[in-house]
Amino acid sequence: MPNPAATSPLKAVLWDMDGTIVDTEPYWIAAEHALVEAHGGTWSHDQAMQLVGQSLTFSAGLLQQAGVELGIREIIDSLTAQVISSVQEQVPWRPGARELLEELHLAGVRCALVTMSEGPLAREVVANLPRPYFEVVVTGDTVSQGKPHPEAYLTAVEPAAGAGSRSRNPPLRSPRGLGTGRGGGRGLRRCNRGRPAHRSAAGPPQLRPLGLPLRAKPHGAWKRCSRRRIQRARLPLPRVFPLPEPGTGPRTQARREGIPLGRIAGVPVVLAYSWFVIAAFTVIVYGPVLASNNPVLGVSAYVVAFAYAVLLLISVLVHELAHALTAKIYAWPTQKIVLNLWGGHTQFESFTASPGRSVLVALAGPAANFVLAGGAWLVLSTNSLGSVAEILTNIFMWANFLIGVFNVLPGLPLDGGRLVESIVWKATGSQAKGTVAAGWGGRIIVLAIAYWFLLRPFLAGDRPDFSLPMITILVGGFLWMGASASIQQGTLRGRLPLVSAAALSTPAAGVPSAGSVRDALILAEGGTKSVVVCGPDGRPQGVVDPAALAAVPAAVRDTTPVTAVSFPLAAGAYIPEWSKGQELIQFLSQLEGRHYAVVDHNGTVTGLLTQEAVLATITGKRQRNDRHPQGQNR
């Protein structure tokens, strides 16, 4: 059957998001009101309407004037997190948007999302679509020029990293290019049916941590490079995020992790398959105990034991919900709650924490369990229940009491460890030191548990039944791994300030891909440790291999192209020299390869950063010699 898209003049559609697919305007206005009022200010509807269509940076500045005592980035993060939380509760779909997407999909027309909203919000909306309609998503935090500048649209129609290889169709590219005027982008359509996108991430021109708000020179505009004038390129960092293949999206990942139980207060809840292990263990261990203590139950004792496992599950769910709902007060975006073999955990996205908020969110979980235990105690003390109901209520009371007491112990990964972390954090000003201290507290707790439940009975000559040592070993092993992970995490976080593109890179200079081996040798003999090959558009595309460079005979150095002695860089493997810390690491994690060109504000190549240098700084281990250049047999 022929592909309908093959005969249709419409080849691809570029979609806007806000006002076209969804309408989040009421969510933004509500978030503004809440933020201003939380800081003791007032915010009118007229003031909110002034921000419609404005950039997030501009909006944050006006909110500061209204009394919000936060930095620009903190305001943007807070507003975005609140809007994401509202979208998680209910997606405000625009009428007909999903139906049109489905029609285009069935017709074989390819789609890309081009929005000035930031990535986390766009991904939340896309994740709620019934299928992965968009081949590429370009968000406002991945481009340096906001709409109506064509950069975002041009980025969408260029081949995204890896997108072309996964599709049998050609990349989203118009043969004549996508222009902003008439005649450009034939075969492409821009779908923007609503008002201009509100809260765009791209604001007035400024130097952002991971983006160069400068334009690239046109092809053919390069002159021969010299030591003093090399690569005056003005490049935007390519940060296009192609969507995952069908079957690898958030919903599919949730199904692979466990059974999705739906959402509670907008927070997805997943029951991990490993929970059934602890449920079976509970039935096998406590079923016979209940049958022995209550002969009248007979075989139904095992059903009661399973009900006990379900009550434990409910107790853990309430515990994790308390974390999530308390975090929601501070606009911390909750990704999901997972209930598993070890109880459960609440997974958050990025947020701005403080010692006080961290403690309140952490202790909300044990507090909820103490409330449940108190409620069960009141039921037992004021009512005469039947045999089974009384057994389950009594178990429910003690389970919640013990969960609460256990979790307030002062060591990570337990909730009480956050109290230790926050105290040290407040005293030293370093969250990393607080995390390490709380991790050691967790290890001490494991040693105390091992002594009390294993070593002490052994020294006293007691022989406890099999279940107690087994549970102690399992719980102790889990806590030890969690505490060790916390220590490692804190240690790595403490080293993040040392991770700097400028400090860790070796000096480098650029040479055009049309240059010869002689050009690279001139740079190398002048003291340049690394030579980066740049393409016609000025983007770094390769690195000269010193060994191969030295092996070229003198007679052919002028005629041998520099590309013959270089290995390729991964797509987009170049970073601003001022990039550092966690943001640099997160960006590098999106790139393939082990080498990254470093450029200054003008796009001039100034250095070459290696993956080994970054890892050595983070881990504190010595850097290995780079004996295997990227791109050769690797």
Side-chain angles (χ1 to χ4, degrees):
M1 180 176 179
N3 186 351
T7 58
S8 171
L10 184 63
K11 301 300 181 183
V13 175
L14 305 183
W15 286 74
D16 186 25
M17 186 179 77
D18 209 346
T20 304
I21 300 176
V22 294
D23 181 13
T24 61
E25 196 65 58
Y27 293 166
W28 286 105
I29 294 175
E32 291 161 8
H33 279 284
L35 184 61
V36 174
E37 291 171 2
H39 287 264
T42 57
W43 189 249
S44 67
H45 181 72
D46 291 339
Q47 287 175 302
M49 294 308 295
Q50 291 178 11
L51 302 188
V52 174
Q54 300 292 343
S55 71
L56 281 169
T57 303
F58 177 83
S59 302
L62 289 188
L63 289 170
Q64 284 180 329
Q65 297 177 17
V68 178
E69 298 178 352
L70 294 174
I72 295 293
R73 187 67 249 177
E74 290 179 303
I75 293 175
I76 293 174
D77 289 343
S78 178
L79 292 175
T80 304
Q82 185 61 46
V83 172
I84 290 174
S85 179
S86 299
V87 170
Q88 288 175 340
E89 293 184 9
Q90 182 176 1
V91 183
W93 300 111
R94 293 276 291 164
R98 289 173 291 176
E99 291 79 3
L100 180 56
L101 277 168
E102 181 67 17
E103 290 179 16
L104 292 171
H105 174 76
L106 295 177
V109 178
R110 306 170 69 191
C111 291
L113 181 64
V114 183
T115 173
M116 290 298 96
S117 295
E118 292 198 338
L121 176 57
R123 288 192 289 271
E124 183 65 32
V125 171
V126 170
N128 280 279
L129 289 168
R131 68 170 84 220
Y133 295 113
F134 297 113
E135 182 176 328
V136 173
V137 172
V138 180
T139 57
D141 50 348
T142 66
V143 295
S144 57
Q145 301 285 350
K147 296 177 182 178
H149 191 279
E151 178 190 354
Y153 301 111
L154 291 171
T155 304
V157 298
E158 287 178 356
S165 63
R166 294 196 304 266
S167 174
R168 290 175 295 179
N169 298 320
L172 284 173
R173 168 178 281 173
S174 167
R176 297 177 56 184
L178 181 65
T180 56
R182 299 172 64 180
R186 180 165 297 178
L188 289 160
R189 292 294 182 269
R190 181 164 64 94
C191 191
N192 187 343
R193 300 183 299 174
R195 56 183 172 272
H198 181 48
R199 324 303 181 186
S200 63
Q206 57 179 322
L207 293 175
R208 299 186 291 114
L210 282 178
L212 295 173
L214 304 165
R215 291 173 294 178
K217 288 188 176 182
H219 288 244
W222 294 103
K223 297 182 179 180
R224 185 178 179 86
C225 295
S226 66
R227 290 180 56 193
R228 295 186 178 273
R229 190 177 185 278
I230 300 171
Q231 289 302 116
R232 298 296 175 185
R234 296 187 170 189
L235 311 173
L237 282 177
R239 296 176 64 196
V240 180
F241 299 100
L243 290 186
E245 285 289 325
T248 62
R251 294 182 178 180
T252 303
Q253 291 174 356
R255 288 194 294 269
R256 290 176 179 175
E257 187 176 19
I259 302 172
L261 300 181
R263 292 174 179 259
I264 301 178
V267 180
V269 180
V270 178
L271 179 63
Y273 298 118
S274 62
W275 176 81
F276 294 96
V277 176
I278 193 64
F281 179 82
T282 302
V283 171
I284 294 171
V285 172
Y286 288 100
V289 175
L290 288 172
S292 175
N293 295 337
N294 303 272
V296 68
L297 293 177
V299 179
S300 62
Y302 292 90
V303 178
V304 176
F306 180 75
Y308 172 36
V310 174
L311 287 176
L312 279 176
L313 179 70
I314 294 173
S315 301
V316 173
L317 175 59
V318 172
H319 178 103
E320 299 302 333
L321 274 174
H323 289 316
L325 296 179
T326 306
K328 200 170 186 179
I329 298 174
Y330 304 116
W332 293 3
T334 305
Q335 186 174 358
K336 60 184 172 181
I337 292 174
V338 179
L339 307 172
N340 55 27
L341 171 67
W342 306 110
H345 66 270
T346 305
Q347 187 171 330
F348 299 100
E349 295 184 6
S350 60
F351 56 87
T352 302
S354 66
R357 293 179 178 183
S358 179
V359 169
L360 290 177
V361 172
L363 295 186
N369 292 120
F370 286 133
V371 169
L372 291 179
W377 177 78
L378 287 175
V379 170
L380 287 173
S381 60
T382 57
N383 295 278
S384 178
L385 305 177
S387 175
V388 173
E390 188 167 340
I391 290 173
L392 290 177
T393 305
N394 187 65
I395 288 174
F396 184 74
M397 178 188 71
W398 282 107
N400 277 278
F401 178 75
L402 292 176
I403 290 174
V405 170
F406 186 67
N407 273 279
V408 297
L409 294 177
L412 288 175
L414 301 173
D415 296 324
R418 296 300 175 190
L419 178 61
V420 176
E421 179 189 56
S422 296
I423 291 173
V424 177
W425 181 2
K426 186 72 173 178
T428 64
S430 171
Q431 184 181 10
K433 292 181 179 179
T435 305
V436 172
W440 279 105
R443 285 184 170 181
I444 293 173
I445 289 172
V446 173
L447 295 176
I449 291 175
Y451 169 77
W452 187 262
F453 291 102
L454 296 178
L455 184 60
R456 187 183 63 87
F458 176 78
L459 295 176
D462 296 337
R463 293 293 182 268
D465 60 66
F466 174 77
S467 62
L468 182 61
M470 178 61 65
I471 293 174
T472 302
I473 292 172
L474 289 174
V475 172
F478 164 72
L479 291 180
W480 187 270
M481 288 188 296
S484 300
S486 298
I487 294 172
Q488 183 182 28
Q489 178 188 11
T491 302
L492 297 182
R493 183 185 295 155
R495 294 194 178 112
L496 281 180
L498 303 176
V499 180
S500 166
L504 298 181
S505 61
T506 57
V511 63
S513 57
S516 66
V517 167
R518 177 72 65 186
D519 298 325
L521 283 172
I522 292 174
L523 293 174
E525 291 169 357
T528 302
K529 290 188 176 180
S530 301
V531 178
V532 175
V533 179
C534 302
D537 59 356
R539 299 172 188 260
Q541 67 177 32
V543 178
V544 172
D545 183 351
L549 181 67
V552 177
V556 295
R557 288 174 179 174
D558 289 320
T559 57
T560 303
V562 70
T563 53
V565 293
S566 64
F567 57 88
L569 286 172
Y574 51 91
I575 53 178
E577 62 184 0
W578 60 89
S579 302
K580 60 183 178 180
Q582 184 173 356
E583 191 168 21
L584 172 60
I585 294 174
Q586 289 176 342
F587 179 65
L588 295 183
S589 68
Q590 301 169 11
L591 300 175
E592 297 181 357
R594 300 186 295 114
H595 297 78
Y596 321 99
V598 179
V599 297
D600 65 9
H601 294 79
N602 296 316
T604 303
V605 174
T606 61
L608 183 68
L609 181 65
T610 64
Q611 187 182 85
E612 286 75 13
V614 175
L615 291 176
T617 303
I618 295 176
T619 61
K621 298 178 181 179
R622 293 184 60 184
Q623 182 178 348
R624 298 183 307 168
N625 292 328
D626 190 9
R627 297 179 180 177
H628 303 284
Q630 163 192 322
Q632 297 182 1
N633 304 324
R634 288 179 71 80

